[in-house]
Amino acid sequence: MLSKIKNLCNKLLSKGVYYFDGELKAIDFNKKQLCVVEQKEITPLVVIVSSDHYKTELRTVPFTTDADVRRALKLKRNTGQFWTVGKKLSQKTEVNYWRFSDAVPKGVFTVPEALFYLCANKLRFLEVEGHRSSYYMSFSEGSFQVTRKFGLINSAEKFLLSIGEPQHFSQQFKSADNSLLINSLTNLASFNSLRLCLSFFNSQAAGIDKIKLTNSVILPLSLVLFIYLSASSLYLIGKELYVTSKYQSIESSAFSLIENQNKFDETKTKLDAINRLVSQDANYPAALYVMTNVFNKVKMSNLLFESGRFVFRAEAEKATDILAIVKEHPSVRDAKFDLPVVQSRANERFTISFTLSNTYVIEKVNK
């Protein structure tokens, strides 16, 4: 789609774009060359002006909103003078004022070559050898600097130092290099470059037929803009649908992972409890057999294995009777109260601990 837009722009540009460096020259995009033409024979739609035939001055206006900046510039605008809005600073905005020499032919758009060289090729700095003089050009956040190589400003390093730019970038071309100019024009299909070009619209251009202007410039440019915006909108809609679908898929997977993680945590907790029980090397079956005669006489709280001893907490009418029952079992060793007995209403609360011998005695039960 972008290549089709560029091809359409090239066709439009090839019908009425000229270059002026003291002589008016037609641009042949196919042969990539310039041909001198008589100014009286044509009314150019677009005139690209070499740096020898215009001047630019970087100023500031004490406004930051676009509406206020445009209103202030309209009051200051003089005949034959154009302006482009640059970067916004604290409480003010940088503005480039452009003035072309009287020798430049009047066209619908009269545009400085610096715009094409810098914006279309996405450059920040350029050193151009013109037909009369050499120039240093820079472009940063919409603001231009164009300085003739002269006097103290006789090197790229000194120019960059004078405008406060870093000195690690430098590209040099000759203004008479036809391929640079033509490549810059074919790269023009970008919103920023087109927006800056519209700042150089000359509503008072002599001999401009409004119907011809509409058919040759406004309608094709509107068509290009419509195609570009439509393609961008379709791309964004498709991208949004794709991202939404991807997000829903990821969200579903995330919920499934969380659910599996919760199940894993529950299982791991159970396994950890079993491992702790097994790692204690406690013979719980033997301890439970010892306490068979105790269970129906007490209200149990828990049975633990701590520091090599079985410990159980319970309630009964008389704690000493329970201790006696435990001591009577032949497998029990060293049964005792671990804590003082506490009276609780009709019952006594107590803690008894004991150990088991290595030989466990199972008593016969007479049927």
Side-chain angles (χ1 to χ4, degrees):
M1 179 61 70
L2 185 59
S3 60
K4 292 181 179 179
I5 294 175
K6 287 187 175 181
N7 292 334
L8 181 57
C9 287
N10 293 341
K11 291 180 181 179
L12 295 174
L13 293 173
S14 64
K15 295 181 180 180
V17 181
Y18 298 84
Y19 180 74
F20 182 80
D21 58 1
E23 295 179 309
L24 191 64
K25 299 177 180 180
I27 301 175
D28 189 332
F29 285 86
N30 295 323
K31 297 180 180 181
K32 293 190 175 182
Q33 64 182 17
L34 306 180
C35 305
V36 179
V37 297
E38 293 292 334
Q39 296 185 26
K40 296 181 180 180
E41 295 179 359
I42 53 94
T43 300
L45 294 177
V46 179
V47 180
I48 302 170
V49 184
S50 72
S51 301
D52 295 324
H53 296 277
Y54 67 82
K55 293 182 179 180
T56 183
E57 181 182 355
L58 188 62
R59 305 178 188 175
T60 59
V61 293
F63 304 101
T64 55
T65 62
D66 294 338
D68 291 337
V69 171
R70 286 194 298 268
R71 194 177 299 111
L73 293 173
K74 286 181 180 179
L75 295 175
K76 294 184 178 182
R77 185 169 183 172
N78 299 321
T79 304
Q81 189 178 69
F82 302 89
W83 46 263
T84 54
V85 179
K87 59 184 175 183
K88 290 180 170 54
L89 306 174
S90 178
Q91 305 299 322
K92 57 186 177 180
T93 302
E94 287 188 347
V95 176
N96 277 95
Y97 286 85
W98 306 82
R99 181 176 291 277
F100 298 93
S101 68
D102 295 335
V104 177
K106 298 296 186 297
V108 180
F109 296 93
T110 306
V111 187
E113 64 178 358
L115 186 149
F116 289 97
Y117 290 157
L118 294 170
C119 295
N121 294 290
K122 297 180 180 179
L123 302 175
R124 291 186 62 187
F125 170 77
L126 190 64
E127 182 178 351
V128 177
E129 183 182 338
H131 295 274
R132 297 179 184 177
S133 304
S134 296
Y135 294 88
Y136 300 114
M137 304 176 181
S138 73
F139 178 71
S140 176
E141 300 181 38
S143 298
F144 291 87
Q145 292 273 11
V146 181
T147 302
R148 186 163 66 95
K149 185 177 181 180
F150 180 75
L152 294 176
I153 309 299
N154 56 10
S155 68
E157 290 75 15
K158 291 182 179 179
F159 170 71
L160 293 172
L161 183 63
S162 68
I163 62 174
E165 287 285 351
Q167 301 182 21
H168 61 269
F169 57 88
S170 176
Q171 289 181 272
Q172 182 174 359
F173 296 99
K174 292 184 178 180
S175 179
D177 187 350
N178 298 338
S179 62
L180 173 63
L181 177 63
I182 294 173
N183 289 338
S184 300
L185 287 169
T186 56
N187 290 336
L188 189 61
S190 68
F191 177 77
N192 188 47
S193 300
L194 293 173
R195 179 182 62 82
L196 289 171
C197 288
L198 292 176
S199 301
F200 295 92
F201 175 71
N202 185 6
S203 59
Q204 300 177 352
I208 299 299
D209 184 84
K210 292 184 178 180
I211 298 178
K212 180 180 178 181
L213 173 63
T214 301
N215 294 334
S216 301
V217 179
I218 297 178
L219 288 180
L221 287 178
S222 299
L223 179 61
V224 170
L225 183 61
F226 174 76
I227 294 173
Y228 176 77
L229 293 177
S230 299
S232 300
S233 300
L234 290 174
Y235 172 77
L236 292 175
I237 292 172
K239 195 72 174 178
E240 182 181 5
L241 292 175
Y242 172 77
V243 171
T244 302
S245 174
K246 201 72 175 177
Y247 172 78
Q248 291 175 347
S249 175
I250 294 173
E251 186 180 33
S252 176
S253 300
F255 282 130
S256 177
L257 288 173
I258 292 172
E259 184 178 357
N260 291 335
Q261 181 66 41
N262 291 335
K263 291 180 180 179
F264 173 80
D265 291 340
E266 292 176 2
T267 304
K268 184 175 182 299
T269 301
K270 294 177 181 179
L271 288 175
D272 290 342
I274 294 173
N275 288 333
R276 285 195 301 270
L277 185 63
V278 173
S279 65
Q280 291 174 343
D281 195 23
N283 194 338
Y284 275 94
L288 294 174
Y289 178 75
V290 168
M291 298 183 62
T292 302
N293 296 328
V294 175
F295 288 138
N296 58 353
K297 301 180 183 298
V298 301
K299 181 179 180 182
M300 289 285 296
S301 295
N302 53 37
L303 173 63
L304 303 174
F305 185 75
E306 296 179 347
S307 304
R309 296 178 64 84
F310 288 96
V311 181
F312 72 93
R313 297 177 179 87
E315 291 184 15
E317 292 183 2
K318 198 169 183 179
T320 54
D321 292 345
I322 304 302
L323 180 60
I325 294 172
V326 174
K327 283 184 175 183
E328 287 175 359
H329 198 283
S331 298
V332 172
R333 299 287 184 271
D334 190 23
K336 63 178 182 177
F337 288 116
D338 279 3
L339 296 172
V341 177
V342 178
Q343 184 68 39
S344 175
R345 295 184 181 179
N347 293 330
E348 294 178 344
R349 288 186 294 181
F350 55 89
T351 301
I352 295 176
S353 67
F354 60 89
T355 60
L356 296 175
S357 62
N358 293 331
T359 303
Y360 306 112
V361 179
I362 301 177
E363 298 174 349
K364 290 184 177 181
V365 177
N366 295 322
K367 295 184 179 180

